[in-house]
Amino acid sequence: MEELSHKIHSAAEYVESRLEGRKPYAGIVLGSGLGKLADMISNRIVIPYKDIPGFPISTAIGHKGNFICGELGGKCVIAMQGRFHNYEGYQTSLAAMPIRVMKLLGIEFLFVSNAAGAINQSYKVGDLVIIKDHINLLQNPLIGQNLDEFGPRFPDMTCAYDIELQDLACRIGREMGLNFNKGVYLGNPGPSYETPAEVRFYKIIGADIVGMSTIPEVIVARHCGIRVFGMSVITNVSNTDNTAKILNDGDDVIKQADMAATRMTELFSRIISAI
């Protein structure tokens, strides 16, 4: 854990040295195909992950691998244009390391986004779903010696996804002419897509949407005392039977997420402006 703490501080010091005195108020994590939001950040400073000491490298499809700091919604933000996953070979503690880096840079809010499959059959491709809770089937990123400087050994997760931010998003959504569902996100390791039997199991235990990311970041953010808002873009409807009628396809996930990214960008921008 001393090694992880050293990596976090070294990375934060490097990123801070590149920010020209800027202090980000909110952090944003952009999932598969959702990097378009980064293009809407003005007065941008782009910091490639590969330049940051001890930092992981994003290898997933649709993840460009940059920190982008600038203005969105009239506030200074720092966005991750790509994240890290268990299926890339990273331990969850390392996959969530950027959240602690952003905490040291000063963020108070974290906006997480992802491309997800719909377990709830009432959801449609292209829907934006507010994450209200999660079910974690990934390794918990807090396993191991606790980093006391960031938070307590046993952080509470009752309201992992900030209720006030959810309510604000719904109000702003109505102003935009959008009505959002609220759903429970289930995270599994991947990289194989879920089987129909797994989808039926996930539905029984209360999941509405499924993906391979996000939860480690949220756990670490709450451990750090950061308020979290989460949103999923529905990019496919998960199969509930063993019929090859709708096969999951990674390239199509990126395409569908890209189509929804404009609406999500406007929503995030308006929420950030209002907080």
Side-chain angles (χ1 to χ4, degrees):
M1 278 299 169
E2 287 185 7
E3 181 183 355
L4 177 60
S5 179
H6 176 73
K7 284 184 177 181
I8 294 166
H9 282 273
S10 295
E13 288 170 7
Y14 176 82
V15 174
E16 186 175 33
S17 74
R18 296 282 304 275
L19 295 186
E20 301 175 354
R22 301 180 189 186
K23 298 293 183 183
Y25 180 62
I28 305 170
V29 183
L30 301 173
S32 300
L34 297 169
K36 183 184 290 186
L37 185 149
D39 297 332
M40 303 302 294
I41 296 174
S42 60
N43 300 316
R44 301 190 300 163
I45 296 172
V46 179
I47 306 170
Y49 296 158
K50 63 181 177 60
D51 293 346
I52 303 172
F55 215 70
I57 301 298
S58 186
T59 65
I61 298 172
H63 294 247
K64 293 186 177 180
N66 299 308
F67 267 132
I68 298 180
C69 184
E71 292 185 9
L72 185 72
K75 306 277 176 59
C76 182
V77 302
I78 186 163
M80 289 181 65
Q81 199 176 24
R83 55 154 55 94
F84 311 108
H85 308 79
N86 275 160
Y87 65 73
E88 295 174 86
Y90 295 120
Q91 292 291 320
T92 49
S93 58
L94 190 59
M97 169 185 163
I99 309 305
R100 287 175 167 141
V101 170
M102 289 192 283
K103 171 67 175 180
L104 292 177
L105 296 174
I107 70 165
E108 298 179 30
F109 298 88
L110 180 69
F111 291 77
V112 292
S113 66
N114 58 58
I119 293 171
N120 187 323
Q121 299 294 297
S122 70
Y123 296 172
K124 302 183 299 297
V125 171
D127 282 355
L128 299 178
V129 178
I130 294 172
I131 303 174
K132 66 178 182 179
D133 205 346
H134 70 231
I135 298 170
N136 186 25
L137 299 185
L138 299 159
Q139 184 188 51
N140 192 302
L142 303 183
I143 289 173
Q145 182 181 345
N146 187 53
L147 295 181
D148 295 333
E149 64 179 302
F150 290 102
R153 170 75 284 187
F154 301 107
D156 181 73
M157 297 293 289
T158 304
C159 298
Y161 300 85
D162 193 278
I163 294 173
E164 291 183 5
L165 292 179
Q166 292 180 49
D167 291 342
L168 177 60
C170 288
R171 177 175 64 79
I172 292 173
R174 288 192 293 270
E175 294 172 358
M176 294 170 59
L178 302 172
N179 290 311
F180 300 124
N181 290 303
K182 292 184 179 182
V184 175
Y185 177 89
L186 183 144
N188 65 29
S192 55
Y193 288 108
E194 58 280 354
T195 68
E198 288 169 338
V199 172
R200 296 192 297 271
F201 170 62
Y202 298 161
K203 182 177 181 181
I204 289 169
I205 63 175
D208 295 294
I209 45 185
V210 59
M212 304 172 189
S213 66
T214 302
I215 293 175
E217 299 151 356
V218 173
I219 291 173
V220 165
R222 293 305 302 137
H223 182 248
C224 293
I226 299 168
R227 296 173 65 183
V228 176
F229 177 78
M231 174 155 277
S232 292
V233 177
I234 302 303
T235 52
N236 63 289
V237 177
S238 298
N239 294 321
T240 56
D241 58 59
N242 299 93
T243 303
K245 54 184 179 181
I246 306 173
L247 298 180
N248 294 311
D249 178 83
D251 290 333
D252 192 54
V253 164
I254 304 302
K255 177 183 175 182
Q256 297 298 334
D258 184 68
M259 292 170 64
T262 300
R263 285 174 292 142
M264 193 190 73
T265 297
E266 183 177 356
L267 176 68
F268 278 21
S269 179
R270 290 195 186 196
I271 296 174
I272 290 169
S273 178
I275 58 178

